[in-house]
Amino acid sequence: MPPVFAAADVLCALGLGVLLAMGYDLCRTVLGKGRFVTFWLDLLAAFLSAVLLYSFAAGRSFSGQLRWYMTAGFLAGLFSSFSVLAPATQAVRTALLWVFSRPFALVWICLVRPLGRLLGRAFQSRRRKMRQMALKRRKKQLKKAARVLYNSNN
């Protein structure tokens, strides 16, 4: 087989590897990074990598069967995506999250926090007044000491 066709197969397998890695990264972003989810995503990725490689080799490649250079291209696509594209997409995701969360943070800082402080001060002053009134009531309930006579012989 001519080297041009082999190079085309390698590039197609490289693209499949990148595609699978980006799909895996997207699923990890959407579904989370727990142990259970990671286990099932790893199994699914292994299964899909075999299905993608064999179906590509049987249906689209110029040789008609799986060759070592297709597998090497697929693995190169996977590892390059995980080492280059995944950190870049993580940085973009973090930046977008920061940009979209700023309005809520500003509302929290400018409205909610001062309102909470104001209500907290009002609640504390009300509680302080209630305590003072309760202390006054307790003091009023006591009888004066001058009127109480114990054991008087008169």
Side-chain angles (χ1 to χ4, degrees):
M1 178 164 65
V4 176
F5 293 151
D9 285 347
V10 169
L11 287 177
C12 286
L14 182 84
L16 284 175
V18 169
L19 181 70
L20 181 67
M22 290 185 71
Y24 180 83
D25 191 34
L26 179 69
C27 287
R28 290 275 310 256
T29 300
V30 171
L31 299 175
K33 297 181 180 180
R35 294 175 88 191
F36 181 77
V37 172
T38 302
F39 172 75
W40 287 106
L41 281 178
D42 287 346
L43 281 179
L44 182 66
F47 176 74
L48 281 178
S49 65
V51 168
L52 282 173
L53 267 178
Y54 278 107
S55 63
F56 166 72
R60 184 76 176 110
S61 74
F62 290 102
S63 65
Q65 58 187 357
L66 185 61
R67 302 283 183 162
W68 66 270
Y69 50 83
M70 291 180 202
T71 306
F74 184 80
L75 291 175
L78 276 175
F79 291 127
S80 65
S81 179
F82 282 131
S83 61
V84 175
L85 291 178
T89 57
Q90 177 64 32
V92 168
R93 191 179 315 125
T94 304
L96 287 175
L97 182 66
W98 185 82
V99 165
F100 288 125
S101 68
R102 285 300 100 191
F104 298 109
L106 287 174
V107 165
W108 179 264
I109 290 170
C110 295
L111 294 177
V112 175
R113 205 184 295 170
L115 186 63
R117 285 189 195 129
L118 183 66
L119 290 175
R121 287 182 195 136
F123 180 72
Q124 280 184 342
S125 68
R126 177 75 178 150
R127 201 163 89 182
R128 194 177 309 122
K129 286 179 186 178
M130 293 297 283
R131 280 186 191 162
Q132 288 173 355
M133 289 174 56
L135 283 174
K136 284 181 183 178
R137 262 189 254 125
R138 254 188 264 146
K139 288 179 183 177
K140 287 181 181 178
Q141 289 175 357
L142 295 175
K143 293 182 180 179
K144 293 186 179 180
R147 291 187 180 184
V148 178
L149 296 175
Y150 293 102
N151 296 330
S152 67
N153 292 332
N154 298 350

